[in-house]
Amino acid sequence: MQVQRSEREIISNILKGSLGNLIEWFDWYVYASFAVYFAPSFFPSHDKTAELLSTAGVFAIGFLMRPLGSLILGKYADQHGRRAALTLSVLIMASGSLVIAITPSYAHIGIFAPVILVLARLFQGLSLGGEYGTSATYLSEMASRNHRGFYASFQYVTLISGQLIALGVQIILQMTLTNEQLTEWGWRIPFIIGALGAIIVLFLRLSMAESDQFASQKAKSKGSLKELMRYPKAVLTVVGLTLGGTIAFYTYTTYLQKFMINSVGLPTQSVTRINFLALLIFMILQPIAGAISDKIGRRPLLFWFGGLGTIFTIPIFVALQHATTSWEAFWLMLAGLVIVTGYTSINAIVKAEMFPTEIRALGVGLPYGLTVAIFGGTVEYLALYLRKINHENLFFVYVTVVIFISLLVYWRMTDTKATSKLDK
C-alpha cells in the first residue's frame, strides 16, 4: 500500500532522482557531442569518417554493458532499494568520466589510450544500464496516481537536459577556444565537469526517500530472474515497445548531428545550435505529452509515434539531404523529434506499469537494456558504415521498418494506464 505523500514531498524526491539522471546522461552524451574533437587523440587517422567510425564503435561497445548493468543494478534495486541502486550508478558514472578526462592521448601512450577509453565506456555503460530501469521505477512509484505519466516523463526531461547541457558546454567552448585547442585539450573539460557534477548528485541521492512500494513489499523472490520469467508477455512487449523508439531517438539526437555535418554539409557550430534549440523544444514537450497520457491513456501517444514515424521518416531524411539553410535543417529535425515524443514521454511509465514491485526495476531495465544495446547502440555505426559504402538511404529504410514493427506491438498491447500493476 502506497503511503500518501504531499505534492511537495513528491516533487522534492523526484527532483533529487531526476538530477542524478541528468548528470548521468550528461556524462554519456558528452562522448557523442565531443567525438569530432577527441577522435584524433585516440584514433589518429587521415580519414575523418574512419575516425568517427572508431569513436562510434566505442560508443556502441558502451551500450553492450547496458544489459549487464540492467541485470546487476536492477536486481540490486529490487533487493536492496531504489535509492541504494541509484546512488551506486551515479558513482560508477563519475569514475568513468574522470578516467576519460585524464587519459593521455595515443601520441603519448599508444594503444593504451583507446584501451583505457573502451574500459571507461564499459563502466559507464554498466552505470547507465542500471540507471534507466531503476530511475523509471523510482519516478513511477513516487508519483501520485493521477499524475504518473506527467512525473515519469521527467526521466526524459532530465535525459534531454543532460544532452542540452552537453551541447551548451560545447557551444561555450566553441566560442572561447579554437578548433585546434578543442582538439588538443579542450575536449577534456566537459568530462571533468561531468565527474564533479556526479559527485555532487551522489550526496543529493543519499537524502532521497525510499519508495514506499519497495519498503512495504514482503515478497521473498525480489529481483529474481526466475520471477521475471513469469511475465514473458510483458518482457517481450518491452522489447517491441523499445525497438522502434530507441532507434528513432538515437537517430534524431546523437546521429543527426554527424549527419548534418557529413551528409548535409552544414558548419559544425551551426549544427550544434540547431541541435540545442530543437532539443530544448523536445524537452519541453515531454511533460506536456506525459500529462496528456494521464487523461487519454498511453496507447494514443504510442500510435502517434508509430504511425507518423513509419510515414515520415524517409521524407524527413531525404528533405534533410537537400536542405540548404540551417533553418530548414532545424524544422526537419524538430518534426522528427515531435513524432518521437509519443514514445519518449511515456515509455518509462508504460514499462513500469507492466511489472509488480518485486521485479519492477529488473523487468523495466533488462529487456530495455538488451534492446538498446543491440539496436540503439549500433545506430551511429550502422549509419556511418552505410554512408561509407554509398548506401546511406538504406539507413532511412531501416529506421522506418523497425518503427513499423513497434507500431504492430502497440496495436496488440493493452493500455497500461487501465491495467497498471502500480495500483496493486
Side-chain angles (χ1 to χ4, degrees):
M1 187 86 181
Q2 188 172 12
V3 175
Q4 291 296 317
R5 296 181 186 271
S6 68
E7 286 298 313
R8 183 175 180 178
E9 290 176 312
I10 291 171
I11 292 171
S12 174
N13 284 295
I14 285 178
L15 180 63
K16 291 173 183 176
S18 296
L19 283 175
N21 197 45
L22 184 155
I23 202 66
E24 289 228 19
W25 285 101
F26 170 82
D27 285 348
W28 185 253
Y29 279 122
V30 155
Y31 182 96
S33 298
F34 284 84
V36 293
Y37 295 112
F38 70 73
S41 294
F42 292 95
F43 306 99
S45 170
H46 297 298
D47 183 346
K48 189 173 184 64
T49 300
E51 288 178 359
L52 290 176
L53 270 171
S54 297
T55 54
V58 178
F59 189 75
I61 287 171
F63 275 84
L64 294 178
M65 288 294 284
R66 291 179 66 170
L68 183 59
S70 299
L71 175 61
I72 295 173
L73 291 177
K75 285 174 64 69
Y76 189 78
D78 285 329
Q79 293 172 352
H80 302 285
R82 320 311 190 197
R83 182 178 63 183
L86 289 171
T87 302
L88 179 58
S89 71
V90 78
L91 179 61
I92 296 171
M93 183 63 77
S95 302
S97 289
L98 184 60
V99 167
I100 294 174
I102 64 175
T103 298
S105 68
Y106 188 96
H108 290 93
I109 61 172
I111 191 64
F112 289 107
V115 168
I116 293 172
L117 178 67
V118 169
L119 290 174
R121 288 299 287 179
L122 288 175
F123 274 99
Q124 288 189 316
L126 183 77
S127 168
L128 206 63
E131 174 72 20
Y132 175 86
T134 310
S135 176
T137 297
Y138 184 79
L139 295 181
S140 301
E141 291 179 348
M142 290 300 300
S144 48
R145 182 174 183 176
N146 295 327
H147 300 94
R148 286 173 181 158
F150 173 74
Y151 282 123
S153 73
F154 278 86
Q155 183 177 50
Y156 263 80
V157 169
T158 51
L159 186 157
I160 299 162
S161 296
Q163 188 167 6
L164 279 174
I165 295 171
L167 285 171
V169 170
Q170 187 176 21
I171 291 171
I172 292 170
L173 290 176
Q174 286 174 341
M175 292 171 63
T176 55
L177 300 175
T178 65
N179 279 341
E180 290 74 20
Q181 289 173 322
L182 276 169
T183 301
E184 187 177 347
W185 56 268
W187 62 266
R188 298 180 186 273
I189 295 172
F191 287 101
I192 295 172
I193 293 172
L196 293 175
I199 292 171
I200 293 170
V201 166
L202 174 65
F203 290 101
L204 280 175
R205 282 193 160 176
L206 289 171
S207 65
M208 284 177 6
E210 182 55 87
S211 155
D212 292 312
Q213 291 192 7
F214 172 81
S216 62
Q217 69 169 317
K218 297 175 180 171
K220 295 181 180 179
S221 55
K222 296 185 289 185
S224 163
L225 280 173
K226 182 179 179 181
E227 183 69 17
L228 179 62
M229 289 303 101
R230 291 179 55 201
Y231 301 89
K233 183 178 178 181
V235 169
L236 291 175
T237 301
V238 170
V239 172
L241 176 79
T242 304
L243 178 63
T246 189
I247 288 176
F249 176 75
Y250 283 106
T251 296
Y252 282 108
T253 55
T254 58
Y255 174 64
L256 205 60
Q257 185 177 22
K258 297 173 181 64
F259 178 78
M260 289 182 185
I261 295 170
N262 278 347
S263 300
V264 184
L266 294 174
T268 301
Q269 293 188 7
S270 296
V271 170
T272 303
R273 287 169 173 78
I274 291 168
N275 274 253
F276 187 89
L277 182 57
L279 287 171
L280 179 62
I281 297 171
F282 183 44
M283 179 188 73
I284 294 169
L285 291 174
Q286 303 307 301
I288 296 173
I292 291 172
S293 81
D294 286 325
K295 300 295 183 183
I296 66 174
R298 321 299 185 203
R299 287 179 80 214
L301 276 80
L302 293 174
F303 284 139
W304 165 274
F305 161 65
L308 296 184
T310 299
I311 296 169
F312 289 109
T313 294
I314 292 176
I316 286 173
F317 272 91
V318 171
L320 260 174
Q321 285 179 317
H322 297 90
T324 56
T325 68
S326 296
W327 279 111
E328 285 181 72
F330 163 75
W331 287 113
L332 287 166
M333 178 180 182
L334 183 61
L337 291 175
V338 169
I339 292 171
V340 176
T341 296
Y343 165 79
T344 55
S345 60
I346 61 167
N347 83 96
I349 185 62
V350 169
K351 294 163 189 172
E353 287 176 327
M354 292 183 189
F355 297 97
T357 304
E358 61 268 19
I359 46 96
R360 184 168 293 130
L362 183 61
V364 171
L366 183 56
Y368 167 85
L370 285 167
T371 309
V372 171
I374 296 169
F375 297 100
T378 55
V379 162
E380 280 195 48
Y381 194 89
L382 178 62
L384 287 166
Y385 174 75
L386 289 174
R387 169 179 164 74
K388 190 173 184 180
I389 63 173
N390 298 316
H391 288 290
E392 189 170 43
N393 285 4
L394 287 178
F395 178 70
F396 316 151
V397 176
Y398 167 70
V399 177
T400 299
V401 170
V402 292
I403 292 175
F404 178 70
I405 292 171
S406 284
L407 176 60
L408 296 179
V409 175
Y410 308 152
W411 186 266
R412 293 183 61 84
M413 66 184 285
T414 58
D415 196 313
T416 58
K417 182 177 183 292
T419 60
S420 176
K421 287 186 167 57
L422 287 163
D423 296 322
K424 298 175 182 178

